Amino acid sequence: MTTRLSPFLFFLFLFVSQAIILQAQDEEAIMPESNHVCLKCHGHKYYSFFNEYKDLTERKLMNPYFVIDSVSYLQGEHKGHSCTDCHSSDYENYPHIADLKIQPKMTCVDCHDFEVIATEVKKSVHVEAFGEFFHCELCHDPHSNKLVKSDMAELVLYNNNRCLNCHNDADKYQVFTSHENPQLLSTHDWLPNQALHFTRVRCIECHTSVTDTSDAVHHILPKEQAVHNCNECHSENSLLRDKLYKHQLKQDRSEFNFYNSFILNDAYVIGANRNYYVNLISLIIFGCTLFGIIIHVILRIIKRK
Amino acid sequence: MSNNKLYLYPVWLRIWHGINALGIILLGITGLSMQYTNMESPLLKFSSAVSIHNLVGIILMISYFFFFITNIIKNNIKHYRISLNGLVNRLMKQGKYYVFDYLKGNPKPFHISEEEKFNPLQQISYVGAMYILVPIVIITGIALLYPGMIIEKIYSFSGIRLTTFLHSLAGFFILIFLIIHLYVITIGQHPLRNFKSIITGYHEAE
């Protein structure tokens, strides 16, 4: 029996392994050839170039904000784009001409239609404070930006890192303001189970306004207007329905009759995750207990007379 | 019938019982407030309910360990040892007394003594509450206080969901126990007699 099956299993193995290799090749991201020239310097912390004036090869430190992580680039949404799709083709020459630094750069809206987002961003505290100087790329690095939808923990981490990039980095924060960098732990010390909140929900759950538009998360509120009332999330009509779990809400509303059951795959939110049947059974048990006691009290009173 | 007073509830037991009773009431109110909270009419402010629930929970946990150990040291645990011999019969007898015989004015089937201060129904419900339900709420409560230590998935179930469910379920039955306990102790010669006993420590024998 085993001998008869062996050739079959061998071909099955070959078939499956080939399918896996082909699939992997299909999914493999390919960096546009022209980007290799840029990444030769901008893909590293240090770069070397031949200085014709000195007639020697020099090695210098790359400005850390100009270093592009090629792995993140290949995982990002713009992986198929050449650097010069967004940056001036004059950058192809080195040394780069000084004028390039002050020339206006391309922005996201030059390619994307972000009309609704732009309206929300204009109302946001960032634009109110910094005006037009504030732009998409400050939060959404086009060199690595990606949509994370599948894993909730990864989504939360990825989104919160966008905020922490500036709000937890005094150097970056003070590019925009002379204010001191806020001490995130102490300003959030009112929050019970702080670490759990930081890893299970995004900053924007509390720091954006709730509206019906899917792009509402771009209207960042002033800190005074941020959610402070726990019941906003910890209740049957949890605001997490309109934010973090907006997509899951469409798929699943009533697994095992839990209210907001879509949250249950990732977390348990007290007050938001009640169960219809458990509530009903509890009420019946509680009602029967009280009913029994009342009947007994009535009988005691009657017998005493 | 004698008028002898039995000293059934020593000081340590009365202090523990008082703390436990107050604590359970507070935990019940704050727990229900958290679970059934809403924006329009929260019973208590959510953050206050969480803080009170956590603090009282820790106090009750310490109080439980005190009870658990002292119960052994002072040999009060003998009252919690259930004899299986004729248990169902004894439970039925006591149940029948509460439902029928007491109302008819018939005598108690089991009399309280220093050796047996609980009737069979009291014994089984106290053991259930103190050695099953309370340990469950303490263990799950500690886990919920430090949710990072809860296993992510227990088979296909979320660990935190299971822990919360067990915590709420055990807590709910402790509240039911409390309501029945508060009513049953009014059954006797005088409705307040047992309340007086747990304050003074003396039980007036009938």
Side-chain angles (χ1 to χ4, degrees), chain A residues 190 192-193 196 200 229-232 234-237 255-256 258 261 264-275 278-279 281-283 285-286 289-290 292-293 296-297 299-300 303-304, chain B residues 31 34-40 42 44-47 50 54 98-99 102-104 144-148 152-153 157-158 160-161 164-165 168-169 172-173 176 179-180 183 186-189 191:
Chain A
W190 61 276
N193 278 326
L196 195 68
R200 295 297 173 126
N229 185 344
C230 311
N231 289 131
E232 299 255 18
H234 292 277
S235 62
E236 214 176 295
N237 289 319
E255 187 203 3
F256 304 124
F258 272 98
S261 61
L264 288 169
N265 293 326
D266 308 291
Y268 183 91
V269 181
I270 304 168
N273 292 136
R274 305 168 199 172
N275 182 285
V278 173
N279 283 356
I281 293 166
S282 310
L283 269 177
I285 295 173
F286 184 70
T289 308
L290 280 188
I293 290 174
H296 203 263
V297 169
L299 289 173
R300 277 170 79 175
K303 289 285 173 184
R304 192 164 288 177
Chain B
M34 281 191 278
Q35 182 66 5
Y36 295 101
T37 185
N38 62 51
M39 284 293 290
E40 294 77 32
L44 289 170
K45 196 176 160 207
F46 190 88
S47 53
V50 172
N54 289 350
Y98 283 141
V99 178
Y102 165 71
L103 295 169
K104 286 180 192 165
L144 291 169
L145 212 50
Y146 302 99
E152 280 281 321
K153 289 267 176 198
F157 284 101
S158 143
I160 202 156
R161 196 197 308 187
T164 320
F165 184 71
S168 321
L169 194 73
F172 173 76
F173 282 112
I176 293 291
I179 294 167
I180 297 173
Y183 177 68
T186 68
I187 295 175
Q189 278 178 337

Side-chain angles (χ1 to χ4, degrees), chain B residues 95-158:
Chain B
K96 186 170 158 275
Y97 169 75
Y98 283 141
V99 178
F100 302 111
D101 295 343
Y102 165 71
L103 295 169
K104 286 180 192 165
N106 292 342
K108 286 178 174 180
F110 303 97
H111 288 277
I112 291 173
S113 67
E114 277 176 359
E115 287 310 302
E116 281 183 73
K117 62 179 178 184
F118 301 148
N119 69 48
L121 268 178
Q122 276 178 313
Q123 199 183 37
I124 205 154
S125 58
Y126 295 175
V127 168
M130 295 314 301
Y131 290 98
I132 298 172
L133 294 176
V134 173
I136 290 176
V137 281
I138 288 176
I139 293 164
T140 52
I142 295 169
L144 291 169
L145 212 50
Y146 302 99
M149 62 190 238
I150 299 175
I151 303 164
E152 280 281 321
K153 289 267 176 198
I154 299 164
Y155 295 104
S156 61
F157 284 101
S158 143

Side-chain angles (χ1 to χ4, degrees), chain B residues 19 21 23 26 34 51 64 77 79 96 124 150-151 170 179 203:
Chain B
I19 294 170
L26 279 173
M34 281 191 278
S51 307
Y64 178 77
I77 199 163
H79 300 293
K96 186 170 158 275
I124 205 154
I150 299 175
I151 303 164
I179 294 167
H203 176 84

